[in-house]
Amino acid sequence: MKLPKEDFYKLLVRPTVVISTISRRGISNAAPFSWNSPVAMKPVPLFGFSSNTRHDTWRNIRENGEFVVNLVGEDFGPLMSILERDFPYEVSEIKEAGLTEVEARKVRPPRIGEAFGWLECRMTDYLKLSERNVWIVGEVLEVEVKEGVMKEVVDVEKVKPLNHIWGESFVTQMKITKFPRA
Amino acid sequence: MKLPKEDFYKLLVRPTVVISTISRRGISNAAPFSWNSPVAMKPVPLFGFSSNTRHDTWRNIRENGEFVVNLVGEDFGPLMSILERDFPYEVSEIKEAGLTEVEARKVRPPRIGEAFGWLECRMTDYLKLSERNVWIVGEVLEVEVKEGVMKEVVDVEKVKPLNHIWGESFVTQMKITKFPRA
């Protein structure tokens, strides 16, 4: 069955992350993104994501290069509609959503305390894809997770990662299946 | 708990796709990738993924720009160790894995018949990230899925998408959860 080309991302179950940034005056911003991926590991670990060029996220990162990737579980599901809202610049979605700002170790934007893990990043590169979209690449400077959520990999049954498909459709209940590797 | 920076991708549950390409002499290649993401939608839909610059995938795409993103379910789990193996150039992993090549509509690399969906792409851009890694961006030219696997979004309980975390740890059993959007 042929689909409209624009529907291609309804076929991919992608991790939802909440990215926090900070304005020149020190006011935080946060927004959810599900177009993201690791992009390289050596010589340094790099993480990439796609942002609308009109969003406060890009405005802040263009100014100071720093962002925190907050890794979130299903408890963030009900907060999506607040975190993604188009508040005026320098209204913090973190506060609007009733979440807690926690100081990061290597960058100025805050971590969100309720996340299960945090990647502190500094932009190293970007690829302008259109008038409206930019693929932002950042070096991962620091990685931390809450106590008790890490086994060999993240304990998905414990943190219930919030993956997204499209619209209101998310995936949260996951189980690990093992397959042999080469 | 602080983690080694290189472990950051053990925290993300990412879609596994199998990307097929073709050599100048018309011989197919296929390899699994889980560092990938939609990157833009307008003016044209764009899909990106990270490839090792030494891999046949990059060699072929650099030559002719074309690739097919084969969307796969848990039935591909046992095939990962074959598809990812470093066969000599112009040995087709599709044949080695006992899979079926099916003609694509808009590009020369074949679709893998056993996948549940296919994105036919042509490279529009790339970002060289290191000596070893390149982020490849392709325009999605054609999207098709098998009959009966599409509801509002892909029917995850039917196709059991093969998501990857790290090493032998995959996720295949998923259920949709709905959360309101802004």
Side-chain angles (χ1 to χ4, degrees), chain B residues 100-160:
Chain B
T100 317
E101 296 193 0
V102 175
E103 209 171 325
R105 293 182 195 275
K106 299 268 174 75
V107 297
R108 285 194 316 138
R111 298 177 176 183
I112 297 174
E114 290 80 1
F116 70 77
W118 306 273
L119 317 178
E120 299 182 7
C121 300
R122 182 173 298 122
M123 182 167 72
T124 55
D125 217 333
Y126 64 89
L127 188 59
K128 193 88 187 292
L129 295 158
S130 69
E131 275 312 301
R132 295 231 185 150
N133 281 96
V134 59
W135 180 255
I136 299 167
V137 176
E139 179 179 346
V140 179
L141 304 170
E142 182 90 6
V143 180
E144 201 165 334
V145 290
K146 281 197 170 155
E147 292 299 324
V149 307
M150 197 69 186
K151 297 208 255 190
E152 191 184 33
V153 298
V154 64
D155 185 344
V156 295
E157 296 190 43
K158 197 162 197 173
V159 306
K160 298 184 172 57

Side-chain angles (χ1 to χ4, degrees), chain A residues 3-70:
Chain A
L3 296 183
K5 291 186 289 185
E6 294 69 23
D7 282 1
F8 84 89
Y9 70 108
K10 297 181 183 175
L11 304 172
L12 297 161
V13 184
R14 311 165 312 270
T16 304
V17 298
V18 177
I19 293 183
S20 46
T21 57
I22 202 165
S23 72
R24 192 169 294 181
R25 297 199 302 161
I27 296 163
S28 67
N29 184 274
F33 295 87
S34 74
W35 293 5
N36 66 81
S37 177
V39 294
M41 202 49 73
K42 288 178 182 171
V44 294
L46 298 174
F47 172 88
F49 73 103
S50 178
S51 174
N52 188 310
T53 51
R54 296 175 188 183
H55 282 184
D56 299 341
T57 298
W58 176 232
R59 178 169 170 174
N60 287 344
I61 292 178
R62 209 174 32 187
E63 279 186 2
N64 55 53
E66 298 184 337
F67 58 97
V68 176
V69 182
N70 300 277

